Structures are given as structure tokens and as C-alpha cells.
Amino acid sequence: MEPLTAITMIAAKYGISGLIGALTGNQELGSLSAELVGALSASEDRLAEKLTGIESRLDEVLEQRYAAAIGAGQRTLLDAGATVDPRVRADELVRARDLFRDASASARSPLQIAVAERYLVLCAIALGRTETGLIAWRLLGRSALEALLATMPLVGPGVYERARERLAKSGRAGFRSRREERVDELADELLDAASEVSDLALGLLAEARDLGGALGAGRVPEPALDFLEPEEADSGDRLVTTGRLEIRPPGPGPTRFGPLSVSWDAVPSARPGVQDVTVTVHTEPALSVPLHLTLLAPGTPDPVHPAGWGTPDSHTLGAGAPGIRLTRSVATGGRPAACTLSVNGLLLFRST
């Protein structure tokens, strides 16, 4: 089983009530609890191994305190799930919760925070602590999205600049004829690591949708996601564009992607043959990094570089800001549904 699928698998197979029962130790769902514990046990070792490998390749320091707390917390959580005595089980869950809190406090990257908060959500549900579970759930979504936004630029030409920086720091650049070959080798390693981070972040966001339902926050419909592969140069293997994620709404109403909520509206303009398209972006909780937003008219090329954000239709949602509204006029003949909201040139929200 791939990491970060156990929760989604149980929720899809048995529903949210089954997931809650498995986490809270409902005696009537003993076999289901065992299935969830077994699925977690089968995947968590691979998750820890993959996280360590990813962070080392991206020069993200995996603190010994973090790794130790995560490992001990995982084992304690699994032991609690296999314990029949309710009092012992509760004690084990409290101990696991404390370990994961320590891991979150010592985390050095958004991905590390997201993983720790994911476990805190599980502990809160198992202990019946809905309010603390919602706090961890919000931090899980925010951190997973920030990990995705921070890493996706490396799935593109930016990976070569990062490779050159790493090669220069290593002091092993060597002869010029060998240098670019070594840059390509390092870039391939970084690209693989960045792709794994993106996959893990998306997996965490998918689990967050199910966990939100278990906490009473409502199960958010999953938008349609399509990864747009980066393009390569005609005369070589190097990437010339950045991979992007296309996000389409699952139905009427706002499109929710982690802590981001995107709503569309169109009304006739005072000018003939023109309509005003408005997109409202809301974040809950607010992000700790800024978002660069561009509202694109139908047929407008998607910006793939920060230089494309400096247009009259571009705005920045500052770190800590709860939301923003963008409006632009388009010809009535063009469907407002064809407009696109670009987030950092990486996430492309379509209105259909």
C-alpha cells in the first residue's frame, strides 16, 4: 500500500462513521479497527523512510528530535489501536498525542508539520477531542498546501538553479566540462524528490477531506485535479516550463482545495457587450506565505513565471490575509466559465 492511503481507503470503503468507529475503538467494529491499524502499520514505515529520503535530497534538515518523536508516536498510536482495555488505550493515545505535538514543534518544513498534524488529528478523533482535532486539521491543510506551493517550482527549470547552488556549496564542481553534467545529475535527484513531496502533499490534502468529515466540518467534494507536465526544450532534455496543477470544480458553488476556497460570479457590465467576472479567494486558516493571484480572461496564456504576475489583473494576497476579490471585464460572447485564476503560476483554478 502506498503511504497516506489508509485513512482514505477506510473512509471510501466503510464511510465516515466507519472511520470514526475504527479510530475510537468501537467494540462492534473490532475487525474494522484491526484493518485500519494494519493498514497504518503497513504504510507508516514507508512514509518515514520516504520522508527522510525526500528531506535529505532537498537539504531540509530532519531534526533528530522530530524523527524520534514521530517514530515513537507512530508506534504508540498503533499500540493504542490494538489495545482492548479502554483506560490503557486512552493513556496510550494521550502519550501518542504528546509525542506528535513535540514533533510538530520541532518540524523544520511545511511537509514535516503536515505529517505531525495529521497524526494529531487521528489522536484527537480517537480521544473524542473535536475542538483540538479541528485545530490540527486546519494546520494539516495549511501546511500541506504550503509544502506543495514551495516544492512545485522545482518541477521545472528552477531545479537547475537549485542544483547549481548545491554543487557550489559542495565545493566539488570540478572541471567546467563536467560541471553541467553534474548539474543535470543533481537536478534529476531534486526533481524526483520534489515530485514525491507534491504527491505526499496531495495525499495529505485528500486525507484532510475525509478527516474533516469525521470532525463534523463537512466532507468537502474533491475537485477534479490534472497535473500539467512541464515541457522540455526541443534540443535537449532540460525543462523549460514548470509543472502545474489544474483544478476544476466538482459542481456548483465554491471550489475548495485545502484551506483555499475559490468562488466565481459574473454579472453584466454597464458597458454593452461586456460582463464583469469576479473571483473570491478565501483562506481558512490564513497562510503564512503570500499568494500571487492573476485572473485570466478566456484564451489568455497561463503565466508560468513570476514576470507574468505583474499585470493590472494581478494581485498579492499577503501572508496572514483571510481573502481577496478580483474582478475583470470580458466580452459577453466569451463564457465566464472559461476564465482562470492562477495562483503563483502553479495552481490553475478553472471555473468549470
Side-chain angles (χ1 to χ4, degrees), residues 296-309:
L296 304 166
T300 304
D302 302 326
V304 294
H305 188 274
W309 303 334

Side-chain angles (χ1 to χ4, degrees), residues 51 54-55 58-63 66 103-116 143-144 146-147 150-151 197:
L51 185 63
I54 287 171
E55 302 292 3
L58 293 178
D59 280 341
E60 295 284 356
V61 178
L62 193 66
E63 291 281 357
Y66 174 87
S104 184
S106 59
R108 295 287 295 272
S109 73
L111 182 62
Q112 294 172 16
I113 295 173
V115 169
S143 300
E146 290 181 355
T151 309
V197 170

Side-chain angles (χ1 to χ4, degrees), residues 158-179:
V159 73
Y160 304 108
E161 186 61 33
R162 175 72 73 88
R164 288 189 182 91
E165 292 174 359
R166 175 175 291 189
L167 190 60
K169 289 180 180 179
S170 70
R172 298 193 299 270
F175 295 108
R176 182 175 300 177
S177 59
R178 168 65 174 156
R179 193 173 304 158

Side-chain angles (χ1 to χ4, degrees), residues 43-104:
S43 66
E44 298 316 287
D45 287 344
R46 292 181 60 189
L47 169 60
E49 180 182 352
K50 179 167 283 194
L51 185 63
T52 302
I54 287 171
E55 302 292 3
S56 64
R57 281 177 286 168
L58 293 178
D59 280 341
E60 295 284 356
V61 178
L62 193 66
E63 291 281 357
Q64 183 177 1
R65 176 184 168 194
Y66 174 87
I70 284 288
Q74 289 171 345
R75 176 56 189 267
T76 306
L77 181 61
L78 295 174
D79 287 348
T83 300
V84 177
D85 188 319
R87 180 175 296 178
V88 174
R89 185 175 186 277
D91 290 342
E92 290 288 273
L93 286 170
V94 169
R95 180 168 174 263
R97 179 199 63 190
D98 292 342
L99 286 165
F100 292 130
R101 281 179 176 171
D102 187 46
S104 184

